[in-house]
């Protein structure tokens, strides 16, 4: 992208990574890519938290990027790709930037150094070193409940002035901090929420969009929330939001992305709900709850395109989606 800032808005999907029998499920990955490119998303994030990136080997991560780019090239629509990278060693992270510099991506999404609990000066120096070194632009990822240390607005505003830092995935868990950042940020610095349950609230406060695991389901509705707000229709946007708000709680009832993978498997978009340890598949109790919600939503939308098949290997008859 010549100016990625102009594209970094709207609905971004942190794509799950499908596995089968311990390996990357390339067939399901191609199916997912084709499907979501028709659903109104504005970009993909690959290999981040929702994509179980910390369990992927380097070769798997490279193959993941190549397949998604290949499927988009073969289709009728292409969107930007952000690559999730994280680490606590600045020197090793610079090596990772070198190793991925030739990959067909558009930017990196990089979280704060985890576990080591650096000071704000350390966080600033870390990201400046990476931004100076990277061949692709950087988007920051502020998620203190995973990294143990949050990025303050003072640090974020200094980093926002760096020409190779284009935006932020905001999971800071403080609406007050987010509103202040949106007020004070320099022009062109994009802020997308990563808190699924706060999507409508964040957009109403002025965020540019969202990076939402929940948008794997009813994607067009999540996209419509943003579109209606941009058109100046807050009541219509809130009505669309109420259609999917419950999904943002249900899909995080157990550690993500297991609930979303279960739902995608039951819907026929992936061939297995498999996750990699230390993640485990959903409990039988949550599976039953998800089944009931899938059935309810299927019945509600039964007037739409006919369902053409049923998954035979599930305990409840569930539509298999054609792609």
């Amino acid at each position: 992208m010549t100016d990625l800032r102009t594209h970094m808005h709207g609905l971004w999907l942190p794509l799950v990574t499908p596995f089968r029998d311990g390996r990357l499920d390339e067939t399901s990955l191609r199916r997912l890519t084709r499907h979501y490119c028709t659903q109104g998303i504005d970009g993909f994030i690959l290999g981040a938290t929702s994509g179980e990136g910390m369990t992927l080997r380097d070769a798997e991560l490279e193959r993941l990027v190549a397949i998604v780019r290949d499927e988009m090239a073969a289709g009728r629509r292409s969107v930007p790709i952000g690559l999730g990278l994280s680490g606590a060693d600045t020197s090793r992270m610079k090596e990772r930037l070198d190793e991925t510099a030739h990959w067909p991506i558009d930017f990196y999404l990089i979280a704060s150094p985890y576990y080591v609990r650096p000071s704000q000066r350390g966080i600033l120096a870390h990201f400046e070193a990476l931004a100076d070194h990277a061949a692709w632009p950087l988007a920051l990822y502020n998620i203190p409940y995973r990294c143990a240390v949050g990025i303050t607005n003072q640090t974020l505003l200094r980093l926002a002035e760096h020409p190779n830092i284009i935006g932020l995935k905001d999971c800071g868990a403080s609406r007050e901090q987010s509103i202040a950042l949106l007020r004070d940020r320099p022009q062109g610095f994009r802020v997308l929420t990563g808190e699924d349950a706060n999507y409508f609230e964040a957009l109403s406060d002025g965020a540019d969009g969202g990076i939402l695991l929940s948008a794997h389901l009813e994607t067009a509705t999540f996209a419509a929330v943003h579109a209606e707000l941009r058109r100046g229709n807050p009541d219509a946007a809130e009505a669309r939001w109420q259609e999917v708000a419950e999904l943002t709680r249900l899909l995080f009832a157990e550690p993500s992305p297991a609930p979303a993978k279960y739902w995608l498997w039951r819907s026929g978009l992936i061939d297995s709900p498999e996750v990699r340890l230390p993640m485990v598949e959903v409990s039988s109790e949550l599976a039953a709850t998800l089944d009931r919600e899938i059935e309810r939503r299927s019945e509600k939308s039964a007037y739409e395109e006919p369902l053409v098949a049923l998954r035979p290997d599930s305990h409840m008859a569930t539509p298999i989606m054609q792609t």
Side-chain angles (χ1 to χ4, degrees):
M1 296 291 171
T2 56
D3 186 3
L4 187 58
R5 287 176 176 83
T6 64
H7 297 267
M8 198 173 178
H9 60 79
L11 181 64
W12 286 65
L13 192 69
L15 193 68
V16 301
T17 302
F19 302 119
R20 192 165 192 181
D21 300 326
R23 298 184 178 185
L24 181 65
D25 181 356
E26 297 189 4
T27 299
S28 292
L29 179 60
R30 291 184 183 278
R31 187 185 303 122
L32 286 174
T33 305
R34 291 194 301 270
H35 174 74
Y36 288 115
C37 279
T38 69
Q39 297 298 303
I41 65 164
D42 294 289
F44 285 119
I45 305 293
L46 303 181
T49 310
S50 300
E52 298 172 79
M54 296 187 75
T55 73
L56 295 173
R57 305 297 180 267
D58 291 348
E60 291 177 318
L61 188 58
E62 185 173 13
R63 183 65 180 154
L64 174 68
V65 171
I67 289 172
V68 171
R69 183 63 77 187
D70 180 63
E71 278 298 317
M72 288 196 292
R76 291 176 292 180
R77 183 168 183 256
S78 183
V79 298
I81 291 176
L83 178 66
L85 289 181
S86 294
D89 178 347
T90 307
S91 178
R92 175 57 186 141
M93 283 293 292
K94 290 168 71 173
E95 292 175 359
R96 295 289 288 128
L97 295 176
D98 290 338
E99 292 160 2
T100 57
H102 65 284
W103 292 11
I105 60 174
D106 296 287
F107 69 98
Y108 298 102
L109 177 67
I110 301 182
S112 300
Y114 49 81
Y115 185 75
V116 296
R117 298 176 61 86
S119 67
Q120 291 299 308
R121 287 193 301 115
I123 290 173
L124 179 66
H126 172 78
F127 279 118
E128 286 180 336
L130 298 183
D132 288 343
H133 192 80
W136 302 105
L138 268 63
L140 310 174
Y141 186 5
N142 187 27
I143 183 163
Y145 53 85
R146 288 188 184 271
C147 295
V149 173
I151 313 175
T152 66
N153 278 6
Q154 182 179 11
T155 302
L156 286 169
L157 291 171
R158 289 188 61 181
L159 290 169
E161 297 291 346
H162 195 291
N164 207 33
I165 295 178
I166 58 174
L168 169 73
K169 179 179 179 181
D170 183 10
C171 291
S174 167
R175 188 178 186 186
E176 181 181 4
Q177 180 185 359
S178 298
I179 290 173
L181 178 65
L182 290 166
R183 180 192 65 221
D184 297 335
R185 62 178 168 162
Q187 185 176 6
F189 183 76
R190 303 300 186 185
V191 177
L192 284 76
T193 184
E195 294 291 340
D196 294 39
N198 298 337
Y199 178 51
F200 177 74
E201 176 183 273
L203 293 180
S204 299
D205 291 338
D208 297 294
I211 302 173
L212 308 179
L213 176 280
S214 304
H216 280 84
L217 315 179
E218 303 205 16
T219 313
T221 303
F222 280 95
V225 175
H226 178 261
E228 292 291 358
L229 281 172
R230 291 194 70 180
R231 295 188 192 109
N233 301 324
D235 292 342
E238 185 171 14
R240 299 310 302 272
W241 169 241
Q242 292 304 322
E243 297 175 23
V244 293
E246 179 58 28
L247 289 177
T248 68
R249 291 181 282 273
L250 191 58
L251 293 179
F252 290 90
E254 291 182 7
S256 178
K261 279 190 160 183
Y262 181 85
W263 192 303
L264 293 172
W265 168 65
R266 300 288 280 106
S267 302
L269 271 172
I270 59 178
D271 292 336
S272 169
E274 186 176 323
V275 290
R276 283 183 171 171
L277 287 171
M279 294 298 172
V280 293
E281 294 180 17
V282 296
S283 65
S284 58
E285 293 82 4
L286 181 58
T289 300
L290 292 170
D291 284 345
R292 288 192 295 270
E293 185 65 11
I294 292 168
E295 185 174 32
R296 186 185 74 80
R297 289 178 181 269
S298 295
E299 290 173 352
K300 183 178 178 182
S301 61
Y303 65 90
E304 296 176 354
E305 184 176 344
L307 303 173
V308 296
L310 297 176
R311 180 177 290 287
D313 55 344
S314 174
H315 65 278
M316 185 185 84
T318 300
I320 295 180
M321 300 180 66
Q322 284 189 319
T323 57

